Structure formats: C-alpha cells, structure tokens
Amino acid sequence: IPWKKMKEFLVRLLYVEMLGHDGSFGYIHAVNLTSSRVMIEKRTGYLAVSLMLHQDHDLILLLIANIQRDMGSSNFLEVSAALTAVMKLVNADTAPAILDNLMPLFNHSNELIRKKAVMAAHAFHSKSPSSVAHLDASFRKCLCDKDPGVMGASLHLLFDMAKQSPDDFKDLVPSYVAILRQIVDHRLPKDYDYHRMPAPWIQIKILQCLALGGADEPSLSEQMYEVLHEVLKRADMGINVGYAVMYECVRTVTSIYPNIALLDAAANSISRFITSDNHNLKYLGIKSLAAIVQINSKYAHEHQMIVVDCLDDHDETLKRKTLDLLFKMTTPQNVVFIAGKLMDSLQSSNDPFLREELVSRVTELAERFAPDNRWFIQTMNAVFEIGGDMVRPEIAHNLMRLIAEGTGGEDEEADNELRIYAVREYFEVLSKPQVPELFLQLVCWVLGEYSYVAEEEIPPADLSALSLIHI
C-alpha cells in the first residue's frame, strides 16, 4: 500500500477507535509510517501511535529507533513530532534510551522544541523521578529561558521536584519572585494575557512554588511579601481568572511564614468571595478563610455572621465546608452562638450523613468549650433528642461521669445543685412519649442514682408512674 494511502487509512482507523471499535490490526502500520520521509505522513504516524498505543505496549520497542533518529533531525517539525510521542509513550524502562537524545534539545534554537523537551522531561519525572534527578541544573537554566513558554513549562517540573525535596529548591525563591514581578508589571508579551490578566496560569504555578519555598522560612517569606501584596491588589478585577489568581495567592499567604499586613489583605480579598452569589466563589471563600483562621482566629469574628448564613444554603458541599470552618473558628466566647446555629441546622436537615456530622461536631465543641456544666447538660440533652441514635455511646458515658463526679472540686453544694438540675431536666424528658434508646438509658441511670436529691420536688410515686410509659 502506498504511504499516501496508508496515511488516509490511519486517519480512518483513528476514527474507528474513537467510536470504540478495535483497531489493533493497524497499529504496526502506524509504527511503520513514523519512518516515512514525507513530513505529513511522519506526523500522521506519530499522531496515530500517540493516540492508539499505551506506554507498555509491545510495539513501543519498535518505535524507539525512529524516535531517536527524529529527535536528532535538523528539521524541527520532525523533532516536535517525535517529542509528542515521547511524552505519551516512553515509560520508566525506555526512558534511559531516549534521555541522551533529549538533553541537547534543552538548548535547541527553536523555542517550541525547548518547551517540548521540558515537557518530555516532566513526563519522565512523573513516571520515574530518579531518571532525571541528575538534570536539575538543566531544568534550572530553563527557568531563565528568554521564551515565557519554556519558562512556564519548567515551573511544573521544578514544582513537582520541589514537592519531593523542598529544601533542595528553596534557593529558587528569588528567581520566582523576580519572574512574578515581571508578570505583574505586564512585562511579558501580550500573547500571554487572558482577559487583561497577565499570564494567569504562570502566576498560579509560581505562587504554588513560592508556597513550598516559603514554608517555615522567615527570611525567604520576607522576600515575597511585597510582590504577593501586589498580586492580590491587581488580581481583583471581578473576573473568574482574577479570582483564581487571588485564591492561589491567599493559599500561598497562609502557607508561608505569616505577615499581619498580608493576612489582612488576604482576609479582605476573601470577603469578596464569601459575599458573592456564586456558589463556587463562596466555597473557595470558606475554604480560604478556614486556612486563615488556623493562623489567627481574629479573622473568624469579622466574618462570623456571613459564614453562619452559609449553613442555610441549598448547596450540600458548601454546607459541609462551612461546618468545617465553624468548627475551626469556635472559641469559648462564641461557642454558645455557634452551637445554637449548628443545632438549628441539625433540626432542619434531612441528610443522614450531614446530621451525623453535625451531631459529632456539636458534641465535640460542647465538651471542649462549654461555659458551664448546666449549659453542657442542656446542649447534650438537645443533641440526644434531635440526633437520636446518631449519638455515640461514649458521649452518654461522659455525661454520666460529669454528673457523678460533679465539678471536680471540693464544693459539694455545687455538685448537688448540678445533680438536682440534671434530675429536673431528665424528669421532664421522661414525660415525653418517645425518647431515643441511648438517651432513655442515660435518663434512667441519672434518675435511679440521684432522684433522692430532689424528692421534695419529684415524689417517687410520680417517677414510678412515668417510668411505666417507657416499659
């Protein structure tokens, strides 16, 4: 079959595979077409093998020689076609055979080839990190490439390498800061702008790299503060890509060594997210505020009412994220208010999974921040009544221990007052026709042990009569 006809047949074979049919009978012809001297036929062959074969296919070994030859070609189109296949088809076993041909391409005269070479190295790193670990000096040079596309591609590779060994790449922080400043000052070509936002995807990746480099590093973090403040200010353009940059910048601010002025700016930016009508932005705002609150809880009080309102939203994902944030921002000063709001949500919710999580959160907050024992008993009674069988048995045991041991001091009078209060509360519970089983066990234990302390108010005959209702 002539090469020209074979090219047309392979295009049709691609369509056959797209429809879900088996086209394996033509794979060998795609491999053979990569050796054609006609550029369009060669590129069609590489396209076909890239889309139809996988990295562990038996025919990959037959393709290696063609790839090696074309990567050394003087025609940059042939090199580009070969690199496209390399990114998709080379695995950890075949990478060493290609690596020697790949290294010279980092210095190729064509920026497209340099960019694809970096992308191929990134693919090698994702499949076998040790295969390219010795090339980090070459990757660092690519960060300073005169073409922004090559520089942007190197960021992804350096970021993945830094995740594995952050300390080895912290010296790149000044370079990241310098590049980010150039981008913010609109010194990159207009081709990289998106909706008037300068190179937003490169900005986002640099911010991720800075977050890794500045973690627990006061001196390195200090170098970032000014440019991060500038990014926050200029990204506030009211468009989605601007919000994406702002969100990533806030994540970076909360990851590096904290700075009060920068945290204030980040909190102000987040307020735009939380007050938005867009559920996606609200979700990001809640998530970002949770990270800021972990550093300084003062920002929780500024947005407390807005966050609480998100519990009434119809979006279940937003509700769950809001629940996490409320749990993190609770203090002894606001526990009564937040627990009350969580109880309102528990009463109105029909989602069993959300109800179970709400029960767990309220009980934990009550145990950690209860202002007094009476409030704790009152809150736990409400949880038992509304949550029913979702309350864990250990919660009932903790409540029993509190009533038995009292305040833990030597004030016996205060302990008796607490028990009298508990007996009164549980006597009222016993008069209700339906009580969850675990709660009923708790009520019966408390009344059986301590009803004598309130004999004047609750005659034993009345107590026995009510007990018969639940037998």
mmCIF file of all heavy atoms in Angstrom, residues 149-183:
data_model
loop_
_atom_site.group_PDB
_atom_site.id
_atom_site.type_symbol
_atom_site.label_atom_id
_atom_site.label_comp_id
_atom_site.label_asym_id
_atom_site.label_seq_id
_atom_site.Cartn_x
_atom_site.Cartn_y
_atom_site.Cartn_z
ATOM 1 N N GLY A 149 7.134 30.667 27.339
ATOM 2 C CA GLY A 149 6.541 29.336 27.254
ATOM 3 C C GLY A 149 7.449 28.268 27.841
ATOM 4 O O GLY A 149 6.989 27.365 28.549
ATOM 5 N N VAL A 150 8.751 28.363 27.541
ATOM 6 C CA VAL A 150 9.718 27.414 28.092
ATOM 7 C C VAL A 150 9.810 27.592 29.604
ATOM 8 O O VAL A 150 9.832 26.620 30.369
ATOM 9 C CB VAL A 150 11.099 27.611 27.434
ATOM 10 C CG1 VAL A 150 12.109 26.629 28.010
ATOM 11 C CG2 VAL A 150 11.005 27.449 25.921
ATOM 12 N N MET A 151 9.860 28.843 30.036
ATOM 13 C CA MET A 151 9.927 29.131 31.473
ATOM 14 C C MET A 151 8.697 28.570 32.189
ATOM 15 O O MET A 151 8.796 27.954 33.251
ATOM 16 C CB MET A 151 10.033 30.645 31.683
ATOM 17 C CG MET A 151 10.035 31.104 33.122
ATOM 18 S SD MET A 151 8.361 31.450 33.733
ATOM 19 C CE MET A 151 7.935 32.881 32.762
ATOM 20 N N GLY A 152 7.519 28.772 31.599
ATOM 21 C CA GLY A 152 6.287 28.275 32.215
ATOM 22 C C GLY A 152 6.259 26.760 32.297
ATOM 23 O O GLY A 152 5.786 26.198 33.289
ATOM 24 N N ALA A 153 6.773 26.093 31.260
ATOM 25 C CA ALA A 153 6.805 24.625 31.283
ATOM 26 C C ALA A 153 7.765 24.118 32.364
ATOM 27 O O ALA A 153 7.490 23.108 33.028
ATOM 28 C CB ALA A 153 7.228 24.097 29.915
ATOM 29 N N SER A 154 8.874 24.815 32.578
ATOM 30 C CA SER A 154 9.846 24.380 33.588
ATOM 31 C C SER A 154 9.287 24.510 35.005
ATOM 32 O O SER A 154 9.691 23.777 35.905
ATOM 33 C CB SER A 154 11.140 25.182 33.452
ATOM 34 O OG SER A 154 10.930 26.539 33.801
ATOM 35 N N LEU A 155 8.359 25.443 35.210
ATOM 36 C CA LEU A 155 7.781 25.632 36.543
ATOM 37 C C LEU A 155 7.082 24.363 37.031
ATOM 38 O O LEU A 155 7.171 24.001 38.202
ATOM 39 C CB LEU A 155 6.780 26.790 36.530
ATOM 40 C CG LEU A 155 7.358 28.202 36.423
ATOM 41 C CD1 LEU A 155 6.238 29.215 36.212
ATOM 42 C CD2 LEU A 155 8.156 28.553 37.679
ATOM 43 N N HIS A 156 6.378 23.697 36.131
ATOM 44 C CA HIS A 156 5.649 22.479 36.513
ATOM 45 C C HIS A 156 6.612 21.378 36.936
ATOM 46 O O HIS A 156 6.369 20.666 37.915
ATOM 47 C CB HIS A 156 4.782 22.001 35.350
ATOM 48 C CG HIS A 156 3.665 22.934 35.020
ATOM 49 N ND1 HIS A 156 2.395 22.783 35.507
ATOM 50 C CD2 HIS A 156 3.632 24.054 34.241
ATOM 51 C CE1 HIS A 156 1.612 23.757 35.063
ATOM 52 N NE2 HIS A 156 2.339 24.533 34.291
ATOM 53 N N LEU A 157 7.715 21.257 36.200
ATOM 54 C CA LEU A 157 8.708 20.235 36.532
ATOM 55 C C LEU A 157 9.402 20.561 37.850
ATOM 56 O O LEU A 157 9.555 19.693 38.729
ATOM 57 C CB LEU A 157 9.725 20.125 35.395
ATOM 58 C CG LEU A 157 10.912 19.195 35.609
ATOM 59 C CD1 LEU A 157 10.433 17.792 35.950
ATOM 60 C CD2 LEU A 157 11.783 19.161 34.352
ATOM 61 N N LEU A 158 9.820 21.813 38.014
ATOM 62 C CA LEU A 158 10.516 22.212 39.242
ATOM 63 C C LEU A 158 9.591 22.109 40.454
ATOM 64 O O LEU A 158 10.035 21.766 41.556
ATOM 65 C CB LEU A 158 11.047 23.641 39.097
ATOM 66 C CG LEU A 158 12.192 23.816 38.085
ATOM 67 C CD1 LEU A 158 12.468 25.289 37.838
ATOM 68 C CD2 LEU A 158 13.459 23.120 38.586
ATOM 69 N N PHE A 159 8.308 22.399 40.256
ATOM 70 C CA PHE A 159 7.354 22.295 41.361
ATOM 71 C C PHE A 159 7.224 20.845 41.830
ATOM 72 O O PHE A 159 7.237 20.569 43.035
ATOM 73 C CB PHE A 159 5.986 22.833 40.915
ATOM 74 C CG PHE A 159 4.897 22.663 41.933
ATOM 75 C CD1 PHE A 159 4.873 23.437 43.080
ATOM 76 C CD2 PHE A 159 3.893 21.718 41.744
ATOM 77 C CE1 PHE A 159 3.860 23.279 44.028
ATOM 78 C CE2 PHE A 159 2.881 21.559 42.673
ATOM 79 C CZ PHE A 159 2.871 22.339 43.820
ATOM 80 N N ASP A 160 7.110 19.915 40.886
ATOM 81 C CA ASP A 160 6.991 18.504 41.260
ATOM 82 C C ASP A 160 8.264 18.000 41.938
ATOM 83 O O ASP A 160 8.200 17.192 42.881
ATOM 84 C CB ASP A 160 6.695 17.657 40.025
ATOM 85 C CG ASP A 160 5.252 17.789 39.572
ATOM 86 O OD1 ASP A 160 4.467 18.449 40.277
ATOM 87 O OD2 ASP A 160 4.903 17.251 38.502
ATOM 88 N N MET A 161 9.424 18.470 41.461
ATOM 89 C CA MET A 161 10.678 18.064 42.094
ATOM 90 C C MET A 161 10.791 18.659 43.497
ATOM 91 O O MET A 161 11.280 18.022 44.427
ATOM 92 C CB MET A 161 11.865 18.487 41.229
ATOM 93 C CG MET A 161 11.904 17.803 39.861
ATOM 94 S SD MET A 161 13.308 18.303 38.844
ATOM 95 C CE MET A 161 14.637 17.386 39.619
ATOM 96 N N ALA A 162 10.314 19.902 43.661
ATOM 97 C CA ALA A 162 10.385 20.559 44.971
ATOM 98 C C ALA A 162 9.453 19.904 45.976
ATOM 99 O O ALA A 162 9.735 19.901 47.174
ATOM 100 C CB ALA A 162 10.060 22.044 44.826
ATOM 101 N N LYS A 163 8.333 19.349 45.510
ATOM 102 C CA LYS A 163 7.426 18.664 46.428
ATOM 103 C C LYS A 163 8.101 17.456 47.068
ATOM 104 O O LYS A 163 7.811 17.105 48.207
ATOM 105 C CB LYS A 163 6.159 18.223 45.689
ATOM 106 C CG LYS A 163 5.163 19.342 45.468
ATOM 107 C CD LYS A 163 3.769 18.820 45.171
ATOM 108 C CE LYS A 163 3.723 18.036 43.886
ATOM 109 N NZ LYS A 163 2.325 17.654 43.519
ATOM 110 N N GLN A 164 9.015 16.815 46.326
ATOM 111 C CA GLN A 164 9.689 15.633 46.849
ATOM 112 C C GLN A 164 10.848 16.006 47.766
ATOM 113 O O GLN A 164 11.136 15.292 48.723
ATOM 114 C CB GLN A 164 10.180 14.764 45.695
ATOM 115 C CG GLN A 164 9.035 14.188 44.866
ATOM 116 C CD GLN A 164 9.529 13.298 43.738
ATOM 117 O OE1 GLN A 164 10.709 13.322 43.395
ATOM 118 N NE2 GLN A 164 8.639 12.512 43.169
ATOM 119 N N SER A 165 11.538 17.106 47.472
ATOM 120 C CA SER A 165 12.646 17.560 48.332
ATOM 121 C C SER A 165 12.665 19.086 48.360
ATOM 122 O O SER A 165 13.435 19.717 47.626
ATOM 123 C CB SER A 165 13.985 17.012 47.811
ATOM 124 O OG SER A 165 14.153 17.330 46.433
ATOM 125 N N PRO A 166 11.803 19.700 49.198
ATOM 126 C CA PRO A 166 11.658 21.162 49.203
ATOM 127 C C PRO A 166 12.951 21.911 49.494
ATOM 128 O O PRO A 166 13.208 22.968 48.898
ATOM 129 C CB PRO A 166 10.620 21.397 50.315
ATOM 130 C CG PRO A 166 9.893 20.108 50.440
ATOM 131 C CD PRO A 166 10.887 19.045 50.129
ATOM 132 N N ASP A 167 13.778 21.397 50.391
ATOM 133 C CA ASP A 167 14.987 22.124 50.779
ATOM 134 C C ASP A 167 15.965 22.309 49.624
ATOM 135 O O ASP A 167 16.734 23.279 49.614
ATOM 136 C CB ASP A 167 15.692 21.388 51.922
ATOM 137 C CG ASP A 167 14.874 21.416 53.203
ATOM 138 O OD1 ASP A 167 14.014 22.314 53.329
ATOM 139 O OD2 ASP A 167 15.086 20.538 54.063
ATOM 140 N N ASP A 168 15.953 21.405 48.656
ATOM 141 C CA ASP A 168 16.908 21.486 47.542
ATOM 142 C C ASP A 168 16.560 22.585 46.546
ATOM 143 O O ASP A 168 17.388 22.945 45.703
ATOM 144 C CB ASP A 168 16.971 20.139 46.803
ATOM 145 C CG ASP A 168 17.533 19.036 47.686
ATOM 146 O OD1 ASP A 168 18.219 19.355 48.671
ATOM 147 O OD2 ASP A 168 17.273 17.848 47.391
ATOM 148 N N PHE A 169 15.346 23.116 46.636
ATOM 149 C CA PHE A 169 14.917 24.093 45.631
ATOM 150 C C PHE A 169 14.512 25.443 46.235
ATOM 151 O O PHE A 169 13.973 26.292 45.535
ATOM 152 C CB PHE A 169 13.748 23.519 44.814
ATOM 153 C CG PHE A 169 14.138 22.352 43.957
ATOM 154 C CD1 PHE A 169 14.100 21.064 44.466
ATOM 155 C CD2 PHE A 169 14.572 22.539 42.650
ATOM 156 C CE1 PHE A 169 14.473 19.974 43.684
ATOM 157 C CE2 PHE A 169 14.950 21.462 41.862
ATOM 158 C CZ PHE A 169 14.911 20.173 42.375
ATOM 159 N N LYS A 170 14.785 25.618 47.519
ATOM 160 C CA LYS A 170 14.426 26.891 48.146
ATOM 161 C C LYS A 170 15.280 28.052 47.658
ATOM 162 O O LYS A 170 14.893 29.216 47.792
ATOM 163 C CB LYS A 170 14.502 26.760 49.670
ATOM 164 C CG LYS A 170 13.384 25.901 50.243
ATOM 165 C CD LYS A 170 13.309 25.933 51.751
ATOM 166 C CE LYS A 170 12.085 25.143 52.235
ATOM 167 N NZ LYS A 170 11.935 25.160 53.702
ATOM 168 N N ASP A 171 16.444 27.750 47.094
ATOM 169 C CA ASP A 171 17.293 28.826 46.564
ATOM 170 C C ASP A 171 16.698 29.455 45.307
ATOM 171 O O ASP A 171 17.179 30.507 44.851
ATOM 172 C CB ASP A 171 18.686 28.276 46.246
ATOM 173 C CG ASP A 171 18.644 27.137 45.241
ATOM 174 O OD1 ASP A 171 17.847 26.202 45.431
ATOM 175 O OD2 ASP A 171 19.396 27.192 44.252
ATOM 176 N N LEU A 172 15.636 28.844 44.758
ATOM 177 C CA LEU A 172 14.995 29.409 43.567
ATOM 178 C C LEU A 172 13.956 30.484 43.903
ATOM 179 O O LEU A 172 13.420 31.121 42.991
ATOM 180 C CB LEU A 172 14.311 28.292 42.761
ATOM 181 C CG LEU A 172 15.220 27.301 42.046
ATOM 182 C CD1 LEU A 172 14.394 26.207 41.397
ATOM 183 C CD2 LEU A 172 16.066 27.999 40.993
ATOM 184 N N VAL A 173 13.681 30.690 45.193
ATOM 185 C CA VAL A 173 12.655 31.658 45.582
ATOM 186 C C VAL A 173 12.930 33.052 45.015
ATOM 187 O O VAL A 173 12.008 33.696 44.477
ATOM 188 C CB VAL A 173 12.514 31.697 47.122
ATOM 189 C CG1 VAL A 173 11.716 32.925 47.569
ATOM 190 C CG2 VAL A 173 11.825 30.427 47.604
ATOM 191 N N PRO A 174 14.159 33.592 45.094
ATOM 192 C CA PRO A 174 14.401 34.914 44.492
ATOM 193 C C PRO A 174 14.087 34.961 42.998
ATOM 194 O O PRO A 174 13.581 35.976 42.493
ATOM 195 C CB PRO A 174 15.891 35.161 44.757
ATOM 196 C CG PRO A 174 16.208 34.320 45.954
ATOM 197 C CD PRO A 174 15.359 33.107 45.815
ATOM 198 N N SER A 175 14.365 33.867 42.288
ATOM 199 C CA SER A 175 14.057 33.825 40.846
ATOM 200 C C SER A 175 12.551 33.845 40.621
ATOM 201 O O SER A 175 12.046 34.554 39.739
ATOM 202 C CB SER A 175 14.655 32.562 40.215
ATOM 203 O OG SER A 175 16.054 32.538 40.364
ATOM 204 N N TYR A 176 11.816 33.068 41.424
ATOM 205 C CA TYR A 176 10.353 33.073 41.308
ATOM 206 C C TYR A 176 9.782 34.467 41.564
ATOM 207 O O TYR A 176 8.879 34.926 40.855
ATOM 208 C CB TYR A 176 9.737 32.086 42.310
ATOM 209 C CG TYR A 176 10.060 30.637 42.076
ATOM 210 C CD1 TYR A 176 10.269 29.761 43.140
ATOM 211 C CD2 TYR A 176 10.147 30.122 40.786
ATOM 212 C CE1 TYR A 176 10.551 28.426 42.931
ATOM 213 C CE2 TYR A 176 10.435 28.784 40.572
ATOM 214 C CZ TYR A 176 10.638 27.936 41.644
ATOM 215 O OH TYR A 176 10.922 26.610 41.431
ATOM 216 N N VAL A 177 10.301 35.122 42.595
ATOM 217 C CA VAL A 177 9.815 36.462 42.941
ATOM 218 C C VAL A 177 10.085 37.430 41.793
ATOM 219 O O VAL A 177 9.213 38.239 41.430
ATOM 220 C CB VAL A 177 10.473 36.952 44.244
ATOM 221 C CG1 VAL A 177 10.144 38.422 44.495
ATOM 222 C CG2 VAL A 177 10.024 36.104 45.423
ATOM 223 N N ALA A 178 11.277 37.336 41.208
ATOM 224 C CA ALA A 178 11.628 38.240 40.101
ATOM 225 C C ALA A 178 10.733 38.001 38.886
ATOM 226 O O ALA A 178 10.271 38.955 38.240
ATOM 227 C CB ALA A 178 13.100 38.042 39.727
ATOM 228 N N ILE A 179 10.462 36.742 38.577
ATOM 229 C CA ILE A 179 9.596 36.426 37.431
ATOM 230 C C ILE A 179 8.179 36.911 37.687
ATOM 231 O O ILE A 179 7.537 37.507 36.808
ATOM 232 C CB ILE A 179 9.608 34.904 37.157
ATOM 233 C CG1 ILE A 179 10.997 34.453 36.703
ATOM 234 C CG2 ILE A 179 8.579 34.546 36.090
ATOM 235 C CD1 ILE A 179 11.157 32.940 36.645
ATOM 236 N N LEU A 180 7.686 36.671 38.904
ATOM 237 C CA LEU A 180 6.328 37.094 39.238
ATOM 238 C C LEU A 180 6.184 38.612 39.166
ATOM 239 O O LEU A 180 5.163 39.131 38.699
ATOM 240 C CB LEU A 180 5.958 36.588 40.637
ATOM 241 C CG LEU A 180 4.510 36.804 41.099
ATOM 242 C CD1 LEU A 180 3.525 36.180 40.110
ATOM 243 C CD2 LEU A 180 4.285 36.231 42.491
ATOM 244 N N ARG A 181 7.213 39.315 39.577
ATOM 245 C CA ARG A 181 7.157 40.775 39.494
ATOM 246 C C ARG A 181 7.098 41.239 38.042
ATOM 247 O O ARG A 181 6.369 42.170 37.702
ATOM 248 C CB ARG A 181 8.378 41.378 40.203
ATOM 249 C CG ARG A 181 8.335 42.899 40.276
ATOM 250 C CD ARG A 181 9.428 43.428 41.163
ATOM 251 N NE ARG A 181 9.273 42.983 42.527
ATOM 252 C CZ ARG A 181 8.400 43.515 43.378
ATOM 253 N NH1 ARG A 181 7.588 44.484 42.976
ATOM 254 N NH2 ARG A 181 8.331 43.075 44.614
ATOM 255 N N GLN A 182 7.858 40.585 37.175
ATOM 256 C CA GLN A 182 7.813 40.932 35.744
ATOM 257 C C GLN A 182 6.420 40.700 35.177
ATOM 258 O O GLN A 182 5.918 41.512 34.392
ATOM 259 C CB GLN A 182 8.835 40.090 34.977
ATOM 260 C CG GLN A 182 10.283 40.439 35.267
ATOM 261 C CD GLN A 182 11.234 39.567 34.468
ATOM 262 O OE1 GLN A 182 10.971 39.238 33.309
ATOM 263 N NE2 GLN A 182 12.333 39.181 35.074
ATOM 264 N N ILE A 183 5.801 39.604 35.586
ATOM 265 C CA ILE A 183 4.456 39.301 35.074
ATOM 266 C C ILE A 183 3.454 40.337 35.566
ATOM 267 O O ILE A 183 2.644 40.854 34.783
ATOM 268 C CB ILE A 183 4.027 37.889 35.520
ATOM 269 C CG1 ILE A 183 4.949 36.836 34.906
ATOM 270 C CG2 ILE A 183 2.582 37.615 35.129
ATOM 271 C CD1 ILE A 183 4.702 35.428 35.423
#
